[in-house]
Amino acid sequence: MTIRFESKILPREACVAAVRSGALPRPIVFTNGVFDILHRGHVSYLDEAAQLGASLIVAVNTDASARRLGKGDDRPLNTEADRAALLAALASITMVTSFDEDTPQALIEALRPDVIVKGGDYDMESLPETASVKSWGGRAVAIPFEHERSTTSLVRKIRGQTPN
């Protein structure tokens, strides 16, 4: 039996080709992150992002890219393939791809989404991605955190460490 959601996981080139060919309904919303241990904060954020358009593309950091973020020597805990699979299983997500760079700037420029979304802790106007999306008439949105959750806090709790 085929796992249906796996068809939503595409290599970067195939994702870009799908967008450029018009295969996805617009407006296209784009967001990115590590999504190491999927939690309520993530899924609430992703659902809100999906409501800003007709298609939601999520780009996950590759394992190497995630390690460069300095979240810990043993992070990410879940592999890129596993993180992508969990995201693809969500009904709110249209497509999942990945990026190996430190930022998704090049991928955003290749996809040219109508909306880019980040969590509420980002100053959208200071991001180069915002300038890019605005240059083709798109917009950048920060979604406030609905549920104060983080993978780092969960990892500390599992390890019996005091949360910050």
Side-chain angles (χ1 to χ4, degrees):
M1 182 172 277
T2 303
I3 306 298
R4 294 179 295 175
F5 65 77
E6 288 184 347
S7 67
K8 292 164 58 174
I9 304 168
L10 276 76
R12 180 182 186 136
E13 299 76 22
C15 181
V16 171
V19 169
R20 288 185 179 170
S21 73
L24 297 181
R26 287 200 174 264
I28 293 174
V29 179
F30 174 93
T31 193
N32 65 280
V34 177
F35 302 103
D36 195 2
I37 298 175
L38 202 58
H39 54 70
R40 184 178 187 177
H42 288 143
V43 297
S44 298
Y45 163 80
L46 292 166
D47 189 71
E48 286 187 52
Q51 293 178 55
L52 296 173
S55 301
L56 174 60
I57 298 174
V58 178
V60 295
N61 294 74
T62 62
D63 294 342
S65 174
R67 280 191 290 278
R68 290 194 302 271
L69 294 175
K71 295 183 181 228
D73 295 340
D74 58 349
R75 301 275 304 277
L77 299 170
N78 286 301
T79 66
E80 173 190 335
D82 288 346
R83 292 180 285 120
L86 289 173
L87 290 166
L90 297 174
S92 59
I93 295 176
T94 308
M95 193 174 290
V96 179
T97 192
S98 62
F99 67 102
D100 193 47
E101 301 86 354
D102 290 345
T103 75
Q105 177 75 23
L107 178 57
I108 289 169
E109 290 181 4
L111 292 170
R112 296 177 64 93
D114 303 292
V115 183
I116 60 168
V117 180
K118 293 280 196 180
D121 57 341
Y122 280 89
D123 173 11
M124 298 304 287
E125 293 308 312
S126 70
L127 298 175
E129 298 96 317
T130 296
S132 293
V133 74
K134 284 184 173 182
S135 76
W136 56 76
R139 63 190 179 113
V141 177
I143 295 179
F145 293 122
E146 182 73 23
H147 303 281
E148 289 297 323
R149 307 282 191 281
S150 80
T151 299
T152 300
S153 296
L154 287 171
V155 168
R156 286 188 181 126
K157 184 175 181 179
I158 291 165
R159 292 179 175 157
Q161 298 170 340
T162 307
N164 285 350

